[in-house]
Amino acid sequence: ERLVAITRGGSHLWYPAARHVELYDLRDPQDVRVENVYQRRQTGLLKQMRASEFDNAVIKDAAKSLGLTSYHVLHPAWMYQRLEPYWAGARGVGWLMRQIRAEAFPLVDAEGIVLPPEYVAVRFYHRHTFPPSDLTKALAIETIKHLAEKTHVMVLNVDTHADEHADIPLPDIPNVTQLKGQACVKPQNNLAMQSAILSRALAYVGTYGGLAHLALMYRKPSV
C-alpha cells in the first residue's frame, strides 16, 4: 500500500501498487526517446543500470505531483544488478527463479476496441537482433499472411516509440487488424492496450523482446 509505481504507456497494469504515476503525463514521448538515445550513446545500453539525471528529475516531479516530500526510491538498477549473473550467462534459470516471483498477470479489458472471438497477437519490429532488411520485412509479412489464413491476427503496432524499436510497416492484409491508427490508442495507454489484446490472444508471434516475455506473463504461447 506504500508503493508508487512510475510507469509509461499504461504499463501500471503490470505492477500491483496502490498508486501509479504515468511518465507520459510528466514528459513528452519525444523527450523520453531523446533521453534513451543519449543513454545508449553514453553507456551502450538502454537498461537502467544506474539512476540518471533524467530518472532523478522524473522521480522528483512524480513525488511533487503526489504531494510527497519524503520517500525511498526502488530504482530498476537494483533489479538489473541483482540479476546480472543470469544475463551474463554465469547462472541458469533455476538460480533466476529463486530470485524472482513470476506470478501470472490477470486478464485486461481492451477499452475502445472490439476484439474478434479468437485471434493471434503479432508484433514484428526492428532491433539489433532483427535488423532492417528486405529479408526481415518479407519474413514478417509472410508470417502474418500465413497466420491470417488460419485465424484473425491483431498486430500490436503503435505510433508511440520511445526507443530504437521501429515497427515494420505492413500493407493491408485480409483478416488482419492493426492497432496503429486506432483512435483509442494514445501514448499514455499504448502498452495497456497491447497488454489487453495480448491477455486474450491465442498466442503471440513476433520479434523476440519484452513483448514476447509479456505474453508468457499472461500464460500465452510465445513464438
Side-chain angles (χ1 to χ4, degrees):
E1 67 275 9
R2 296 176 57 205
L3 190 63
V4 177
I6 304 175
T7 64
R8 67 178 173 93
S11 57
H12 62 273
L13 297 172
W14 311 338
Y15 301 92
R19 289 180 289 181
H20 307 89
V21 176
E22 170 58 49
L23 176 60
Y24 291 149
D25 288 337
L26 301 175
R27 298 291 187 275
D28 187 90
Q30 179 63 17
D31 294 334
V32 178
R33 181 172 177 80
V34 169
E35 172 63 18
N36 282 336
V37 171
Y38 174 77
Q39 287 298 323
R40 189 175 184 87
R41 289 178 177 176
Q42 291 290 109
T43 65
L45 298 169
L46 276 177
K47 308 302 184 188
Q48 293 169 286
M49 300 298 292
R50 60 177 179 81
S52 66
E53 292 183 7
F54 181 89
D55 293 343
N56 291 332
V58 166
I59 292 167
K60 183 177 180 180
D61 289 348
K64 183 178 180 180
S65 72
L66 297 173
L68 300 176
T69 57
S70 178
Y71 51 88
H72 302 288
V73 176
L74 297 173
H75 191 271
W78 289 32
M79 176 191 68
Y80 285 120
Q81 292 169 16
R82 176 68 178 177
L83 302 182
E84 176 61 23
Y86 171 74
W87 285 313
R91 296 281 187 171
V93 174
W95 176 88
L96 173 69
M97 298 309 294
R98 292 193 294 272
Q99 315 303 315
I100 66 175
R101 187 175 63 195
E103 297 179 349
F105 290 170
L107 290 176
V108 184
D109 290 329
E111 298 180 4
I113 187 170
V114 178
L115 297 176
E118 290 188 344
Y119 59 90
V120 170
V122 172
R123 188 174 185 186
F124 282 103
Y125 56 86
H126 292 307
R127 52 172 293 166
H128 69 279
T129 56
F130 199 66
S133 71
D134 291 340
L135 178 61
T136 53
K137 181 178 180 180
L139 174 64
I141 292 174
E142 291 305 313
T143 299
I144 292 172
K145 286 181 178 178
H146 177 72
L147 290 168
E149 291 175 356
K150 304 176 183 299
T151 187
H152 198 91
V153 174
M154 296 291 299
V155 181
L156 306 182
N157 52 0
V158 293
D159 294 310
T160 302
H161 295 287
D163 49 36
E164 83 284 14
H165 298 163
D167 287 316
I168 295 176
L170 301 172
D172 290 333
I173 302 172
N175 212 26
V176 173
T177 300
Q178 299 189 43
L179 191 57
K180 186 174 184 177
Q182 299 281 348
C184 58
V185 182
K186 301 175 175 58
Q188 289 84 353
N189 74 351
N190 78 91
L191 286 171
M193 292 297 293
Q194 293 180 68
S195 297
I197 294 171
L198 192 54
S199 74
R200 298 177 183 277
L202 296 172
Y204 168 81
V205 178
T207 303
Y208 174 78
L211 209 58
H213 286 276
L214 182 62
L216 298 178
M217 297 304 293
Y218 286 113
R219 297 300 189 258
K220 302 298 179 180
S222 183
V223 179

